[in-house]
Amino acid sequence: MVELLIAVSIFSIVSIAIYSTFSSGAAVLRRVKDIDLAQQRILLKTERFSRELREQDVYKKKLFSGAKTKIIFPGNYDYIPSRITYYYDPSSFCLMRVVDKLSAIITPEGKVDAELKSKPQVFLSKIKEANFSYLFLDLKKNAYSWTEEWQQDYLPLAVKLTIISENYEHASTIFL
């Protein structure tokens, strides 16, 4: 009787896990079907950007910085430690992505070369604007604030990516 009770409980736990996986997948599918292809493309690219930003490695050297139209952070590319740069190119209306291996950007003196070494690749095309902003705790005001520049030695609490296309505006906040 005890063995039967254990088997039933294990079966129910596995069934609940499988059901929740399928129901969340069905919810995402319903949400994706309700939007057009341009919006789907933006959503998928912002998800990839969010994953890369959340999975960034911690390094002793300062590798995270940001501006209104550019963000730089450490990451892994094909399991190789790298510096990932995203920036908006207004001449081509594209969000560009550059991945530089750390071995190529660390100078013999141990400093990080600010120049982009690799060729930029189009990450997201046909967009009017792409902006980054950074959330931090302002100790003077004792409140959370957003800024468009980030040069501190520590990470911001969150990064907000706003993408404006022809007829769609998408904002995504990634908490770090």
Side-chain angles (χ1 to χ4, degrees):
M1 187 65 125
V2 173
E3 290 177 2
L4 183 61
L5 189 59
I6 291 172
V8 168
S9 62
I10 289 173
F11 178 75
S12 64
I13 290 171
V14 170
S15 299
I16 290 171
I18 291 172
Y19 174 76
S20 65
T21 301
F22 281 119
S23 66
S24 65
V28 168
L29 183 63
R30 278 192 303 275
R31 214 173 46 192
V32 167
K33 281 185 174 182
D34 293 339
I35 56 178
D36 66 8
L37 290 176
Q39 291 174 339
Q40 287 180 21
R41 184 174 52 91
I42 291 173
L43 286 174
L44 289 172
K45 292 296 187 171
T46 55
E47 269 305 309
R48 180 177 175 193
F49 170 77
S50 299
R51 187 182 68 241
E52 282 183 340
L53 190 58
R54 279 193 301 265
E55 292 176 351
Q56 66 178 300
D57 294 325
V58 177
Y59 292 99
K60 291 182 181 178
K61 298 195 180 307
K62 182 179 176 264
L63 291 174
F64 188 98
S65 66
K68 184 177 180 179
T69 59
K70 183 178 186 178
I71 187 169
I72 302 168
F73 57 91
N76 287 319
Y77 181 71
D78 290 338
Y79 303 105
I80 298 171
S82 305
R83 174 182 67 189
I84 301 172
T85 304
Y86 285 92
Y87 67 92
Y88 177 67
D89 183 10
S91 63
S92 63
F93 298 104
C94 294
L95 184 63
M96 306 299 282
R97 181 175 182 263
V98 181
V99 178
D100 291 320
K101 296 178 184 170
L102 287 185
S103 59
I105 62 169
I106 303 286
T107 64
E109 297 83 32
K111 300 201 187 267
V112 178
D113 189 358
E115 183 180 327
L116 298 176
K117 301 289 184 184
S118 300
K119 180 182 176 193
Q121 296 180 354
V122 175
F123 183 72
L124 191 57
S125 60
K126 299 178 185 173
I127 58 175
K128 287 184 175 180
E129 194 175 331
N131 295 320
F132 301 99
S133 53
Y134 310 93
L135 180 68
F136 69 102
L137 177 61
D138 190 351
L139 296 176
K140 294 177 185 172
K141 297 178 185 176
N142 199 22
Y144 292 101
S145 300
W146 288 96
T147 183
E148 293 181 345
E149 298 286 327
W150 192 262
Q151 299 299 323
Q152 284 75 4
D153 288 336
Y154 55 93
L155 293 176
L157 298 173
V159 174
K160 184 177 187 179
L161 170 61
T162 305
I163 296 175
I164 301 171
S165 66
E166 194 67 35
N167 54 1
Y168 179 66
E169 180 174 336
H170 176 76
S172 177
T173 304
I174 303 101
F175 290 93
L176 303 178

